[in-house]
Amino acid sequence: MPNFKIDLNIMPIDSVLDPQGEAIENSLKNMSSISATEFKVGKKITFKIKAANKKKCSEIVIQLCEKLLVNEVIEKYTFKINDEKN
C-alpha cells in the first residue's frame, strides 16, 4: 500500500476575528516603510497516510479534518496529497 504525504493548511474563516493577524498589522504601523495589510495567521500540518490510492487517501484526510483537526465553525482548510518519494 503506498504512502502519501499530506500538506494541510487551516485558516480562520473570513468572518472570524484573527487577533494574531491584527497584532502583526498593528506592529507594522510603527514601520512606515512597509505597507502590508489583511494578515491571517493559520496552521500548517504535515503528516503521512497509507492508503490504497489518492481517492481513498483524500477521504481519510477529509474525515480527519471534520472529526479531529479543524473546527469548521471558525476555520476552513485545504490540503494537497503528494506521493511519498522513497
Coordinates of all heavy atoms in Angstrom, one line a residue:
M1 N 0.8 -1.2 0.0 CA 0.0 0.0 0.0 C 0.9 1.2 0.0 O 1.8 1.3 0.8 CB -0.9 0.0 1.2 CG -2.1 0.9 1.1 SD -3.3 0.7 2.5 CE -3.8 -1.0 2.4
P2 N 0.6 2.2 -0.9 CA 1.5 3.4 -1.0 C 1.3 4.3 0.2 O 0.3 4.4 0.8 CB 1.1 4.0 -2.3 CG -0.2 3.4 -2.7 CD -0.3 2.1 -2.0
N3 N 2.4 5.1 0.4 CA 2.4 6.2 1.4 C 2.1 7.5 0.7 O 2.7 7.7 -0.4 CB 3.7 6.3 2.1 CG 3.8 5.4 3.4 OD1 2.8 5.1 4.0 ND2 5.0 4.9 3.7
F4 N 1.4 8.4 1.3 CA 1.1 9.7 0.8 C 1.5 10.7 1.8 O 1.2 10.5 3.0 CB -0.3 9.9 0.4 CG -0.8 8.9 -0.7 CD1 -1.4 7.7 -0.4 CD2 -0.5 9.2 -2.1 CE1 -1.8 6.9 -1.4 CE2 -0.9 8.4 -3.1 CZ -1.6 7.2 -2.8
K5 N 2.1 11.8 1.4 CA 2.5 12.9 2.3 C 1.4 14.0 2.1 O 1.1 14.4 1.0 CB 3.8 13.5 2.0 CG 4.3 14.6 2.9 CD 5.7 15.0 2.6 CE 6.1 16.1 3.5 NZ 5.5 17.4 3.2
I6 N 0.8 14.4 3.3 CA -0.3 15.4 3.2 C 0.2 16.7 3.8 O 0.9 16.8 4.8 CB -1.4 14.9 4.2 CG1 -1.8 13.4 3.9 CG2 -2.6 15.9 4.0 CD1 -2.2 13.1 2.5
D7 N -0.1 17.8 3.0 CA 0.1 19.1 3.5 C -1.2 19.8 3.7 O -2.0 20.0 2.7 CB 0.9 19.9 2.4 CG 2.3 19.5 2.2 OD1 3.0 19.2 3.2 OD2 2.7 19.3 1.0
L8 N -1.6 20.0 5.0 CA -2.9 20.5 5.4 C -2.7 22.0 5.8 O -1.9 22.2 6.7 CB -3.4 19.7 6.5 CG -4.7 20.1 7.2 CD1 -5.9 20.2 6.2 CD2 -5.0 19.2 8.3
N9 N -3.5 22.9 5.3 CA -3.5 24.3 5.7 C -4.8 24.6 6.3 O -5.9 24.4 5.7 CB -3.2 25.2 4.5 CG -1.8 25.0 4.0 OD1 -0.8 25.3 4.7 ND2 -1.6 24.5 2.8
I10 N -4.8 25.2 7.5 CA -6.0 25.6 8.2 C -5.9 27.1 8.5 O -4.9 27.6 9.0 CB -6.1 24.8 9.5 CG1 -6.1 23.3 9.3 CG2 -7.4 25.2 10.3 CD1 -5.9 22.4 10.5
M11 N -7.0 27.8 8.1 CA -7.1 29.2 8.2 C -8.4 29.6 8.9 O -9.4 28.9 8.7 CB -7.0 29.9 6.9 CG -5.7 29.7 6.1 SD -4.2 30.3 7.0 CE -4.5 32.1 6.9
P12 N -8.4 30.7 9.6 CA -9.7 31.2 10.1 C -10.6 31.7 9.0 O -10.1 32.2 7.9 CB -9.3 32.4 11.0 CG -7.9 32.8 10.6 CD -7.3 31.6 10.0
I13 N -11.9 31.4 9.1 CA -12.8 31.9 8.1 C -12.8 33.4 8.1 O -12.4 34.0 9.1 CB -14.2 31.3 8.2 CG1 -14.8 31.7 9.5 CG2 -14.2 29.8 8.0 CD1 -16.3 31.3 9.7
D14 N -13.2 34.0 7.0 CA -13.1 35.5 6.8 C -13.9 36.2 7.9 O -13.5 37.3 8.3 CB -13.6 35.9 5.4 CG -12.6 35.4 4.4 OD1 -11.4 35.1 4.7 OD2 -13.1 35.2 3.2
S15 N -15.0 35.7 8.4 CA -15.9 36.4 9.3 C -15.4 36.3 10.7 O -16.0 37.0 11.6 CB -17.3 35.9 9.2 OG -17.4 34.6 9.5
V16 N -14.3 35.6 11.0 CA -13.8 35.4 12.4 C -12.7 36.4 12.6 O -11.7 36.6 11.8 CB -13.3 34.0 12.6 CG1 -12.6 33.8 13.9 CG2 -14.5 33.0 12.5
L17 N -12.7 37.0 13.8 CA -11.6 37.9 14.2 C -10.3 37.1 14.4 O -10.3 36.1 15.0 CB -12.0 38.6 15.6 CG -11.0 39.5 16.2 CD1 -10.9 40.8 15.3 CD2 -11.5 40.0 17.6
D18 N -9.3 37.7 13.8 CA -8.0 37.0 13.9 C -7.0 37.9 14.7 O -6.3 38.8 14.2 CB -7.4 36.8 12.5 CG -6.1 36.0 12.5 OD1 -5.6 35.6 13.5 OD2 -5.5 35.9 11.4
P19 N -6.9 37.6 16.0 CA -6.1 38.5 16.9 C -4.6 38.5 16.5 O -3.9 39.5 16.6 CB -6.3 38.0 18.3 CG -7.1 36.7 18.2 CD -7.6 36.6 16.8
Q20 N -4.1 37.3 16.1 CA -2.7 37.2 15.7 C -2.4 38.1 14.5 O -1.4 38.8 14.4 CB -2.3 35.8 15.5 CG -2.2 35.0 16.7 CD -1.9 33.5 16.5 OE1 -2.6 32.9 15.7 NE2 -0.9 33.0 17.1
G21 N -3.3 38.0 13.5 CA -3.2 38.8 12.3 C -3.3 40.3 12.6 O -2.5 41.1 12.1
E22 N -4.2 40.7 13.5 CA -4.3 42.1 13.9 C -3.0 42.6 14.6 O -2.6 43.7 14.5 CB -5.5 42.3 14.8 CG -6.8 42.3 14.0 CD -8.0 42.7 14.9 OE1 -7.8 43.1 16.0 OE2 -9.1 42.6 14.3
A23 N -2.5 41.7 15.5 CA -1.2 42.1 16.2 C -0.1 42.4 15.2 O 0.7 43.3 15.4 CB -0.8 41.0 17.1
I24 N 0.0 41.5 14.2 CA 1.1 41.8 13.1 C 0.8 43.1 12.5 O 1.7 44.0 12.3 CB 1.1 40.6 12.1 CG1 1.5 39.3 12.8 CG2 2.0 41.0 10.9 CD1 1.3 38.1 11.9
E25 N -0.5 43.4 12.1 CA -0.8 44.6 11.4 C -0.5 45.8 12.3 O 0.0 46.8 11.8 CB -2.3 44.6 11.0 CG -2.5 45.3 9.7 CD -3.9 44.9 9.1 OE1 -4.1 43.7 8.9 OE2 -4.6 45.8 8.7
N26 N -0.9 45.7 13.6 CA -0.6 46.8 14.5 C 0.9 47.1 14.7 O 1.3 48.2 14.8 CB -1.3 46.6 15.8 CG -2.8 46.7 15.8 OD1 -3.3 47.4 14.9 ND2 -3.5 46.0 16.7
S27 N 1.6 46.0 14.7 CA 3.1 46.2 14.8 C 3.7 46.9 13.6 O 4.6 47.7 13.7 CB 3.8 44.8 15.0 OG 3.4 44.3 16.2
L28 N 3.1 46.6 12.4 CA 3.6 47.2 11.2 C 3.3 48.7 11.1 O 4.0 49.4 10.3 CB 3.0 46.5 10.0 CG 3.7 45.2 9.6 CD1 3.0 44.5 8.5 CD2 5.2 45.3 9.3
K29 N 2.3 49.2 11.9 CA 2.0 50.6 11.8 C 3.2 51.5 12.3 O 3.4 52.6 11.9 CB 0.8 50.9 12.7 CG -0.5 50.4 12.2 CD -1.7 50.7 13.1 CE -2.9 50.1 12.4 NZ -4.1 50.2 13.3
N30 N 4.1 50.9 13.1 CA 5.3 51.6 13.5 C 6.4 51.5 12.5 O 7.4 52.2 12.6 CB 5.9 50.9 14.8 CG 4.9 51.0 16.0 OD1 4.1 52.0 16.0 ND2 4.8 50.0 16.8
M31 N 6.2 50.8 11.4 CA 7.2 50.7 10.3 C 6.6 51.3 9.1 O 6.0 50.7 8.3 CB 7.5 49.2 10.0 CG 8.0 48.4 11.3 SD 8.1 46.7 10.9 CE 9.9 46.6 10.4
S32 N 6.8 52.6 9.0 CA 6.1 53.4 8.0 C 6.6 53.0 6.5 O 5.9 53.3 5.6 CB 6.4 54.9 8.2 OG 7.7 55.2 8.1
S33 N 7.7 52.3 6.4 CA 8.2 52.0 5.1 C 7.5 50.7 4.5 O 7.7 50.4 3.3 CB 9.7 51.8 5.1 OG 10.0 50.7 5.9
I34 N 6.8 50.0 5.3 CA 6.1 48.8 4.9 C 4.6 49.0 4.8 O 4.0 49.4 5.8 CB 6.5 47.6 5.8 CG1 8.0 47.4 5.8 CG2 5.7 46.3 5.4 CD1 8.5 46.3 6.8
S35 N 4.0 48.7 3.7 CA 2.6 48.8 3.5 C 2.0 47.4 3.2 O 1.9 47.0 2.1 CB 2.3 49.8 2.4 OG 0.9 49.8 2.2
A36 N 1.7 46.7 4.3 CA 1.1 45.3 4.2 C -0.1 45.3 5.1 O -0.1 45.8 6.2 CB 2.1 44.3 4.5
T37 N -1.2 44.7 4.6 CA -2.4 44.6 5.4 C -3.1 43.2 5.2 O -2.7 42.4 4.5 CB -3.4 45.7 4.9 OG1 -3.8 45.5 3.5 CG2 -2.9 47.1 5.1
E38 N -4.2 43.1 6.0 CA -5.0 41.9 5.9 C -4.3 40.6 6.2 O -4.4 39.6 5.5 CB -5.8 41.8 4.6 CG -6.7 43.0 4.4 CD -7.5 42.9 3.1 OE1 -8.0 41.8 2.8 OE2 -7.7 44.0 2.5
F39 N -3.5 40.6 7.3 CA -2.8 39.4 7.7 C -3.8 38.4 8.3 O -4.7 38.7 9.0 CB -1.7 39.7 8.8 CG -0.6 40.4 8.2 CD1 -0.5 41.8 8.0 CD2 0.6 39.6 7.8 CE1 0.6 42.4 7.5 CE2 1.7 40.3 7.3 CZ 1.7 41.6 7.1
K40 N -3.6 37.1 8.0 CA -4.4 36.0 8.5 C -3.3 35.0 9.0 O -2.4 34.6 8.2 CB -5.3 35.3 7.5 CG -6.5 36.2 7.1 CD -7.5 36.2 8.2 CE -8.8 37.0 7.7 NZ -9.8 37.1 8.7
V41 N -3.4 34.5 10.2 CA -2.5 33.5 10.8 C -3.2 32.2 10.9 O -4.3 32.1 11.5 CB -1.9 34.0 12.1 CG1 -1.0 33.0 12.7 CG2 -1.2 35.3 11.9
G42 N -2.6 31.2 10.3 CA -3.3 29.8 10.4 C -2.3 28.8 10.8 O -1.2 29.1 11.5
K43 N -2.6 27.6 10.5 CA -1.7 26.4 10.8 C -1.4 25.6 9.6 O -2.3 25.5 8.7 CB -2.4 25.5 11.8 CG -2.9 26.1 13.1 CD -3.6 25.1 14.0 CE -5.1 25.3 13.7 NZ -6.0 24.7 14.7
K44 N -0.2 25.0 9.6 CA 0.1 24.1 8.5 C 0.5 22.8 9.3 O 1.3 22.8 10.2 CB 1.3 24.5 7.7 CG 1.7 23.5 6.6 CD 2.8 24.0 5.7 CE 3.0 22.9 4.7 NZ 4.0 23.3 3.7
I45 N -0.1 21.7 8.8 CA 0.1 20.4 9.4 C 0.5 19.4 8.3 O -0.1 19.4 7.3 CB -1.1 19.8 10.1 CG1 -1.6 20.8 11.2 CG2 -0.9 18.5 10.7 CD1 -3.0 20.4 11.8
T46 N 1.6 18.7 8.5 CA 2.1 17.7 7.6 C 2.0 16.4 8.2 O 2.4 16.3 9.4 CB 3.5 18.0 7.0 OG1 4.4 18.0 8.1 CG2 3.5 19.4 6.3
F47 N 1.6 15.4 7.5 CA 1.6 14.0 8.0 C 1.6 13.0 6.9 O 1.4 13.4 5.7 CB 0.5 13.8 9.0 CG -0.9 14.1 8.4 CD1 -1.7 13.1 7.9 CD2 -1.4 15.4 8.4 CE1 -3.0 13.4 7.4 CE2 -2.6 15.7 7.9 CZ -3.4 14.7 7.4
K48 N 1.7 11.7 7.2 CA 1.7 10.7 6.1 C 0.5 9.7 6.4 O 0.1 9.5 7.5 CB 3.0 9.9 6.2 CG 4.2 10.7 5.8 CD 5.5 9.9 5.9 CE 6.7 10.8 5.6 NZ 7.9 10.1 5.8
I49 N 0.0 9.2 5.3 CA -1.1 8.3 5.3 C -0.8 7.1 4.4 O -0.3 7.4 3.3 CB -2.5 8.9 4.9 CG1 -2.9 9.9 6.0 CG2 -3.5 7.9 4.7 CD1 -4.2 10.6 5.6
K50 N -1.1 5.9 4.8 CA -1.0 4.7 4.0 C -2.4 4.5 3.5 O -3.3 4.4 4.3 CB -0.5 3.5 4.7 CG 0.9 3.2 4.6 CD 1.3 1.9 5.2 CE 2.8 1.9 5.1 NZ 3.4 0.7 5.6
A51 N -2.6 4.5 2.2 CA -3.9 4.2 1.6 C -3.7 3.5 0.2 O -2.7 3.6 -0.4 CB -4.6 5.6 1.4
A52 N -4.8 2.9 -0.2 CA -4.8 2.1 -1.5 C -4.5 3.1 -2.7 O -3.8 2.7 -3.6 CB -6.1 1.4 -1.7
N53 N -5.1 4.3 -2.6 CA -4.9 5.2 -3.7 C -5.2 6.6 -3.3 O -5.6 6.8 -2.1 CB -5.8 4.8 -4.9 CG -7.3 4.7 -4.5 OD1 -7.8 5.6 -3.8 ND2 -7.9 3.6 -4.8
K54 N -5.0 7.6 -4.1 CA -5.2 9.0 -3.7 C -6.7 9.3 -3.4 O -6.9 10.1 -2.5 CB -4.8 10.0 -4.9 CG -3.3 10.2 -4.9 CD -2.9 11.3 -5.8 CE -1.4 11.5 -5.7 NZ -0.9 12.7 -6.6
K55 N -7.6 8.7 -4.0 CA -9.0 8.9 -3.7 C -9.3 8.5 -2.3 O -10.0 9.2 -1.5 CB -9.9 8.2 -4.7 CG -11.4 8.4 -4.5 CD -12.2 7.7 -5.5 CE -13.7 8.0 -5.5 NZ -14.4 7.6 -4.3
K56 N -8.9 7.3 -1.9 CA -9.1 6.8 -0.5 C -8.3 7.7 0.5 O -8.8 8.0 1.5 CB -8.6 5.3 -0.4 CG -8.8 4.7 0.9 CD -10.3 4.7 1.3 CE -10.5 4.0 2.6 NZ -11.9 4.3 3.2
C57 N -7.1 8.1 0.1 CA -6.4 9.0 0.9 C -7.1 10.3 1.2 O -7.2 10.8 2.3 CB -5.0 9.3 0.3 SG -3.9 10.3 1.3
S58 N -7.7 10.9 0.2 CA -8.5 12.1 0.3 C -9.6 11.9 1.2 O -9.9 12.8 2.1 CB -8.9 12.5 -1.1 OG -9.7 13.7 -1.0
E59 N -10.3 10.8 1.1 CA -11.4 10.5 2.0 C -11.0 10.5 3.5 O -11.7 11.0 4.4 CB -12.1 9.2 1.6 CG -12.8 9.2 0.3 CD -13.2 7.8 -0.2 OE1 -13.0 6.8 0.5 OE2 -13.8 7.8 -1.3
I60 N -9.8 9.9 3.7 CA -9.3 9.8 5.1 C -8.9 11.2 5.6 O -9.2 11.5 6.7 CB -8.1 8.8 5.1 CG1 -8.5 7.4 4.8 CG2 -7.4 8.9 6.5 CD1 -7.3 6.5 4.5
V61 N -8.3 12.0 4.8 CA -7.9 13.3 5.2 C -9.2 14.2 5.5 O -9.2 14.8 6.6 CB -7.1 14.1 4.1 CG1 -6.9 15.5 4.5 CG2 -5.8 13.4 3.9
I62 N -10.2 14.1 4.7 CA -11.4 14.8 5.0 C -12.0 14.4 6.3 O -12.5 15.2 7.1 CB -12.4 14.7 3.8 CG1 -11.9 15.4 2.6 CG2 -13.8 15.2 4.2 CD1 -12.6 15.1 1.3
Q63 N -12.1 13.1 6.5 CA -12.6 12.5 7.8 C -11.8 13.0 9.0 O -12.4 13.4 10.0 CB -12.6 11.0 7.7 CG -13.2 10.3 8.9 CD -13.2 8.8 8.8 OE1 -12.4 8.2 8.1 NE2 -14.1 8.2 9.5
L64 N -10.5 13.0 8.9 CA -9.6 13.5 10.0 C -9.9 15.0 10.2 O -10.0 15.4 11.4 CB -8.1 13.4 9.6 CG -7.5 12.0 9.8 CD1 -6.1 11.9 9.2 CD2 -7.5 11.7 11.3
C65 N -10.0 15.8 9.2 CA -10.3 17.2 9.3 C -11.6 17.5 10.0 O -11.7 18.3 10.9 CB -10.2 17.9 8.0 SG -8.6 18.0 7.3
E66 N -12.7 16.8 9.5 CA -14.0 17.0 10.0 C -14.2 16.5 11.5 O -15.0 17.1 12.2 CB -15.0 16.4 9.1 CG -15.1 17.1 7.8 CD -16.1 16.4 6.8 OE1 -16.6 15.3 7.1 OE2 -16.3 17.0 5.7
K67 N -13.5 15.5 11.8 CA -13.7 14.9 13.2 C -12.7 15.3 14.2 O -12.9 15.2 15.4 CB -13.7 13.4 13.1 CG -14.9 12.9 12.3 CD -15.1 11.4 12.3 CE -16.3 11.0 11.5 NZ -16.8 9.7 11.8
L68 N -11.5 15.8 13.8 CA -10.4 16.0 14.7 C -9.6 17.3 14.6 O -9.4 18.0 15.5 CB -9.5 14.8 14.6 CG -8.2 14.8 15.6 CD1 -8.7 14.7 17.0 CD2 -7.3 13.7 15.2
L69 N -9.2 17.6 13.4 CA -8.2 18.6 13.2 C -8.7 20.1 12.9 O -8.0 21.0 13.2 CB -7.3 18.3 12.0 CG -6.5 16.9 12.1 CD1 -5.8 16.6 10.8 CD2 -5.6 17.0 13.3
V70 N -10.0 20.2 12.4 CA -10.5 21.5 12.0 C -11.8 21.8 12.8 O -12.7 20.9 12.8 CB -10.7 21.6 10.5 CG1 -11.3 22.9 10.1 CG2 -9.4 21.2 9.8
N71 N -11.9 23.0 13.3 CA -13.2 23.5 13.9 C -13.9 24.2 12.8 O -13.6 25.4 12.5 CB -12.9 24.4 15.1 CG -14.2 24.9 15.7 OD1 -15.2 24.8 15.1 ND2 -14.1 25.5 16.8
E72 N -14.7 23.6 12.0 CA -15.3 24.2 10.8 C -16.3 25.3 11.1 O -16.7 26.0 10.2 CB -16.0 23.1 10.0 CG -15.1 22.1 9.4 CD -15.7 21.1 8.5 OE1 -16.3 20.1 9.0 OE2 -15.6 21.3 7.3
V73 N -16.6 25.6 12.4 CA -17.4 26.8 12.7 C -16.5 28.0 12.5 O -17.1 29.1 12.1 CB -17.9 26.7 14.2 CG1 -18.5 28.0 14.6 CG2 -18.8 25.5 14.4
I74 N -15.2 27.9 12.8 CA -14.4 29.1 12.7 C -13.2 29.0 11.8 O -12.4 29.9 11.6 CB -13.9 29.6 14.1 CG1 -13.0 28.5 14.8 CG2 -15.0 30.0 15.0 CD1 -12.3 28.9 16.0
E75 N -13.0 27.8 11.2 CA -11.8 27.5 10.3 C -12.2 26.9 9.0 O -13.3 26.2 8.9 CB -10.8 26.6 11.1 CG -10.3 27.1 12.3 CD -9.4 26.1 13.1 OE1 -9.8 24.9 13.2 OE2 -8.4 26.5 13.6
K76 N -11.4 27.1 8.0 CA -11.5 26.4 6.7 C -10.2 25.7 6.4 O -9.2 26.1 7.0 CB -11.9 27.4 5.6 CG -10.9 28.6 5.4 CD -11.4 29.6 4.5 CE -10.4 30.8 4.4 NZ -10.9 31.8 3.5
Y77 N -10.2 24.8 5.5 CA -9.0 24.0 5.3 C -8.8 23.7 3.8 O -9.8 23.6 3.0 CB -8.9 22.8 6.1 CG -9.9 21.7 5.8 CD1 -9.6 20.7 4.9 CD2 -11.2 21.7 6.4 CE1 -10.6 19.7 4.6 CE2 -12.1 20.7 6.1 CZ -11.8 19.7 5.2 OH -12.7 18.7 4.9
T78 N -7.6 23.5 3.4 CA -7.2 23.0 2.1 C -6.1 22.0 2.3 O -5.4 22.1 3.3 CB -6.8 24.1 1.1 OG1 -5.6 24.7 1.7 CG2 -7.9 25.1 0.8
F79 N -6.0 21.0 1.4 CA -4.9 20.1 1.5 C -4.4 19.6 0.2 O -5.1 19.7 -0.8 CB -5.3 18.8 2.4 CG -6.4 18.0 1.8 CD1 -6.2 16.9 1.0 CD2 -7.7 18.3 2.2 CE1 -7.2 16.2 0.5 CE2 -8.8 17.5 1.7 CZ -8.5 16.5 0.8
K80 N -3.2 19.2 0.2 CA -2.5 18.6 -1.0 C -2.0 17.3 -0.7 O -1.4 17.1 0.4 CB -1.4 19.6 -1.5 CG -0.7 19.1 -2.7 CD 0.3 20.1 -3.2 CE 0.9 19.6 -4.5 NZ 2.1 20.5 -4.9
I81 N -2.2 16.3 -1.6 CA -1.7 15.0 -1.4 C -0.5 14.8 -2.3 O -0.7 15.0 -3.5 CB -2.8 13.9 -1.7 CG1 -4.0 14.1 -0.7 CG2 -2.3 12.5 -1.6 CD1 -5.2 13.2 -1.1
N82 N 0.6 14.4 -1.8 CA 1.8 14.1 -2.5 C 2.2 12.7 -2.4 O 2.1 12.1 -1.3 CB 3.0 15.0 -2.0 CG 2.6 16.5 -2.1 OD1 2.4 17.0 -3.2 ND2 2.5 17.1 -0.9
D83 N 2.7 12.1 -3.5 CA 3.2 10.8 -3.5 C 4.5 10.9 -2.7 O 5.3 11.8 -2.9 CB 3.6 10.2 -4.9 CG 2.3 10.0 -5.7 OD1 1.3 9.6 -5.2 OD2 2.4 10.3 -6.9
E84 N 4.7 9.9 -1.7 CA 5.9 10.0 -0.9 C 7.1 9.5 -1.8 O 7.0 8.4 -2.4 CB 5.8 9.1 0.3 CG 7.0 9.3 1.2 CD 6.9 8.5 2.5 OE1 6.4 7.3 2.5 OE2 7.3 9.0 3.5
K85 N 8.1 10.2 -1.8 CA 9.3 9.8 -2.5 C 10.2 8.9 -1.6 O 10.4 9.2 -0.5 CB 10.1 11.0 -2.9 CG 9.3 12.1 -3.7 CD 9.0 11.6 -5.1 CE 8.3 12.7 -5.9 NZ 7.0 12.4 -6.3
N86 N 10.6 7.8 -2.1 CA 11.4 6.9 -1.3 C 12.9 7.3 -1.3 O 13.4 7.9 -2.1 CB 11.3 5.4 -1.9 CG 9.9 4.9 -1.6 OD1 9.3 5.3 -0.7 ND2 9.5 4.0 -2.5

